[in-house]
Amino acid sequence: MTRRIPQARDRGIPDATVARLPLYLRALNGMAERGVATVSSEDLALAAGVNSAKLRKDLSHLGSYGTRGVGYDVQYLIYQISRELGLTQDWAVAIVGVGNLGRALANYGGFATRGFRIAGLLDADPQVVGERIAGLVVEHADELESVIKKRGVSIVVIATPATAAQQVCDRVIAAGVTSILNFAPVVLAVPDGVDVRKVDLSIELQILAFHEQRKANGGPIMAEEWPDGVVM
Amino acid sequence: MTRRIPQARDRGIPDATVARLPLYLRALNGMAERGVATVSSEDLALAAGVNSAKLRKDLSHLGSYGTRGVGYDVQYLIYQISRELGLTQDWAVAIVGVGNLGRALANYGGFATRGFRIAGLLDADPQVVGERIAGLVVEHADELESVIKKRGVSIVVIATPATAAQQVCDRVIAAGVTSILNFAPVVLAVPDGVDVRKVDLSIELQILAFHEQRKANGGPIMAEEWPDGVVM
DNA sequence: TCGACTTTGTGCACAGCTTCACAAACAAAC
DNA sequence: GTTTGTTTGTGAAGCTGTGCACAAAGTCGA
Ligand SMILES: NC(=O)c1ccc[n+]([C@@H]2O[C@H](COP(=O)([O-])OP(=O)(O)OC[C@H]3O[C@@H](n4cnc5c(N)ncnc54)[C@H](O)[C@@H]3O)[C@@H](O)[C@H]2O)c1
Ligand SMILES: NC(=O)c1ccc[n+]([C@@H]2O[C@H](COP(=O)([O-])OP(=O)(O)OC[C@H]3O[C@@H](n4cnc5c(N)ncnc54)[C@H](O)[C@@H]3O)[C@@H](O)[C@H]2O)c1
């Protein structure tokens, strides 16, 4: 029942590699803008913040696109990575929950530039519905299924309160969506074949706090027991 | 030079475990609110969306806090995980860059509840400086060092445009900060001992697009070459 | 006190990822 | 054509994380 998604093993690209390809792509685009024609694995790795051997192995999963003694052709590699990631086509994205976060996402220009087109904004609050944000009119959450089907939405961003997230999730999956980006602090239950990626800012801060504490104390304090006054 | 941060290996908690502790904590808090007194690894694992053996192994790194035949005391475990993560103390957080995203973060109530207190909002735009957001007045980015020192800021959130991120990063590190949460789409260069966690929405979408494409085509299309008209 | 039952904590095998190190491949110069 | 120099692609080793499976440790009822 709680089977994990082995995904991406289809014809072989490791998940860890897939997660880094966008990083390489970004570095390559920066180089292309600066007119760089070819780049060595060493330089590209530096720009992407990874080990050069890892970079080469990652790229080798896509094919043999480098030239020994020279490096990689920047434009060609951009094309190959884009194709592998599916960025040569446009993706219609819907944002459900147009509050603080949903608004920020809708107003953000950085998505369209990578082939992610915001095709719908949905909210349950009548006060928000009808509002115009970034050239789109917010629609009522009741229209969810119809918006998804009508506009060919294949990726849904959930930015509702945690309490509504699972319900929204169930509905978009029923409507045929299999890719979800979740900002609500809940573990979404989804059937096999559906990909959920979560962005959880509280968790990130808590991980930072852990390391920060470790840095402050030279190791964990030896107060393993309950503090005074706390009963078990 | 590009040495990785082995961090957290100090007295042994694996990084993967640290990343999951906040998840357990969240599930436990939900249970505590519903009045649950004890919980088995099986049930907690289900709530957190992980394997129960993994959960037990994770918790075993903190100590032997369970009772065989019974499970874990919810309150006690909440306390132990909180302590391990450093959440028994308050952390002062500053947000640099009060645009779309910075505003959403400042207005978000979910941080304060976990001991992360927003202690400063900073922006370089004179139009934004002076604005009051979530009870705080936005200060000028020039005040960065002074705000950090005066208010004991130990975690900085960077929500500036990508072009300003590295510069802001350098300044906060010079001011003594060693924990950074970065939203700008750049790989920040930092010295050893500084922890950077990044949240990159474009990358998340690109990973989803990759899997979505794989699901659409039953495997990758066999057009490995350049499309017509593209020259190398 | 004892035995039946439950659940933890962990040894172990394995799967995946990272890194090193180097042969093979190619370019360029002569 | 040969040599010199550079950089890729990858075998192999090591490391980290996962999950099974089970003994040990505890509860609880009789
Ligand atoms: N704002 C942040 O910086 C931040 C940070 C971390 C996590 N989050 C999480 O992201 C989510 C959104 O945060 P926010 O600050 O934008 O919250 P918000 O309350 O400002 O916005 C939520 C929006 O969702 C709408 N909504 C509620 N139920 C809905 C439904 N069933 N269908 C469609 N829309 C619905 C509400 O009307 C509201 O407009 C929350 O789960 C929050 O925990 C936000
Ligand atoms: N908004 C989103 O949903 C979103 C999504 C993904 C990534 N991002 C990234 O997050 C960052 C912020 O995004 P945004 O939409 O809020 O951008 P924004 O342009 O709305 O806000 C950026 C703010 O930073 C301020 N700023 C610029 N230089 C500064 C400096 N040196 N010191 C302090 N403040 C400075 C600007 O005045 C502005 O107010 C960007 O890097 C963006 O790429 C945003």
Side-chain angles (χ1 to χ4, degrees):
Chain A
M1 249 315 129
T2 327
R3 282 235 325 288
R4 279 273 47 83
I5 25 167
Q7 273 315 124
R9 307 247 52 90
D10 306 351
R11 214 275 313 277
I13 302 185
D15 286 352
T17 295
V18 172
R20 282 186 297 265
L21 290 180
L23 229 53
Y24 305 152
L25 192 53
R26 183 176 290 158
L28 285 165
N29 279 320
M31 290 170 176
E33 273 171 31
R34 294 199 310 277
V36 178
T38 62
V39 65
S40 69
S41 63
E42 198 68 48
D43 291 350
L44 183 53
L46 195 71
V50 302
N51 179 296
S52 71
K54 181 152 52 177
L55 170 73
R56 287 197 297 277
K57 189 151 285 187
D58 282 345
L59 294 183
S60 76
H61 285 114
L62 311 190
S64 235
Y65 298 142
T67 305
R68 297 175 190 223
V70 177
Y72 300 87
D73 181 277
V74 173
Q75 294 296 336
Y76 186 56
L77 201 50
I78 286 176
Y79 171 72
Q80 289 298 346
I81 295 179
S82 296
R83 190 175 56 76
E84 195 64 50
L85 287 174
L87 303 182
T88 47
Q89 61 185 286
D90 256 42
W91 298 98
V93 178
I95 299 176
V96 185
V98 188
N100 289 316
L101 196 58
R103 260 161 235 270
L105 296 172
N107 280 318
Y108 181 54
F111 296 142
T113 62
R114 283 277 179 287
F116 297 97
R117 186 172 40 86
I118 311 280
L121 301 175
L122 299 114
D123 203 290
D125 186 345
Q127 292 235 303
V128 178
V129 174
E131 207 176 317
R132 187 175 207 89
I133 297 172
L136 276 167
V137 176
V138 178
E139 290 160 284
H140 195 279
D142 290 349
E143 307 292 324
L144 191 49
E145 290 80 4
S146 107
V147 166
I148 288 171
K149 293 200 170 126
K150 216 164 10 189
R151 317 232 175 98
V153 168
S154 48
I155 299 177
V156 166
V157 176
I158 297 181
T160 65
T163 46
Q166 183 64 58
Q167 187 198 329
V168 169
C169 175
D170 294 343
R171 283 179 60 195
V172 303
I173 290 172
V177 169
T178 60
S179 293
I180 294 171
L181 181 53
N182 178 38
F183 284 89
V186 276
V187 178
L188 294 178
V190 298
D192 281 6
V194 175
D195 285 307
V196 177
R197 295 197 66 86
K198 68 160 195 284
V199 173
D200 199 316
L201 311 184
S202 290
I203 289 184
E204 298 301 326
L205 285 179
Q206 289 176 51
I207 294 172
L208 283 176
F210 171 85
H211 292 300
E212 190 68 26
Q213 175 172 249
R214 286 281 167 123
K215 283 180 276 193
N217 324 330
I221 40 172
M222 283 291 107
E224 299 266 330
E225 286 313 311
W226 284 81
D228 292 350
V230 182
V231 283
M232 239 194 92
Chain B
M1 248 311 131
T2 328
R3 282 235 326 287
R4 278 273 50 82
I5 24 166
Q7 272 309 128
R9 307 248 49 93
D10 307 350
R11 216 273 311 277
I13 301 185
D15 287 350
T17 295
V18 173
R20 282 187 295 265
L21 290 180
L23 229 52
Y24 305 152
L25 192 52
R26 185 176 289 158
L28 285 165
N29 279 319
M31 289 171 177
E33 272 170 30
R34 294 200 308 278
V36 178
T38 63
V39 65
S40 70
S41 64
E42 198 69 46
D43 290 351
L44 183 52
L46 195 70
V50 302
N51 179 296
S52 70
K54 180 153 51 178
L55 169 73
R56 288 197 297 277
K57 190 156 288 184
D58 282 344
L59 294 183
S60 77
H61 286 113
L62 310 190
S64 234
Y65 297 142
T67 307
R68 299 179 188 220
V70 178
Y72 300 88
D73 182 279
V74 173
Q75 294 295 334
Y76 186 56
L77 199 51
I78 285 175
Y79 171 72
Q80 289 297 347
I81 294 179
S82 296
R83 189 175 57 75
E84 195 66 48
L85 286 174
L87 304 183
T88 47
Q89 61 186 285
D90 256 40
W91 298 99
V93 178
I95 298 176
V96 185
V98 188
N100 289 315
L101 196 58
R103 261 161 235 270
L105 295 172
N107 281 316
Y108 181 56
F111 296 143
T113 62
R114 282 278 177 287
F116 296 98
R117 186 172 40 85
I118 311 280
L121 301 176
L122 299 114
D123 203 290
D125 185 347
Q127 292 235 300
V128 177
V129 173
E131 207 177 319
R132 188 177 207 88
I133 296 173
L136 277 166
V137 176
V138 178
E139 291 159 281
H140 195 280
D142 289 348
E143 307 292 324
L144 192 50
E145 289 79 4
S146 107
V147 166
I148 287 172
K149 294 202 169 122
K150 214 163 13 186
R151 315 230 178 101
V153 169
S154 47
I155 300 177
V156 166
V157 176
I158 298 182
T160 65
T163 47
Q166 183 64 58
Q167 188 198 331
V168 169
C169 174
D170 293 344
R171 283 179 59 193
V172 303
I173 290 172
V177 169
T178 60
S179 294
I180 294 171
L181 181 53
N182 177 37
F183 284 89
V186 277
V187 176
L188 294 177
V190 298
D192 281 8
V194 175
D195 284 307
V196 177
R197 295 198 65 86
K198 69 161 195 282
V199 174
D200 199 316
L201 312 185
S202 290
I203 288 186
E204 299 301 328
L205 285 178
Q206 289 175 49
I207 295 172
L208 284 177
F210 171 84
H211 292 301
E212 191 68 26
Q213 174 173 249
R214 285 283 166 124
K215 282 180 277 192
N217 324 331
I221 39 175
M222 282 292 106
E224 299 267 330
E225 285 314 309
W226 284 80
D228 293 348
V230 181
V231 284
M232 239 197 93

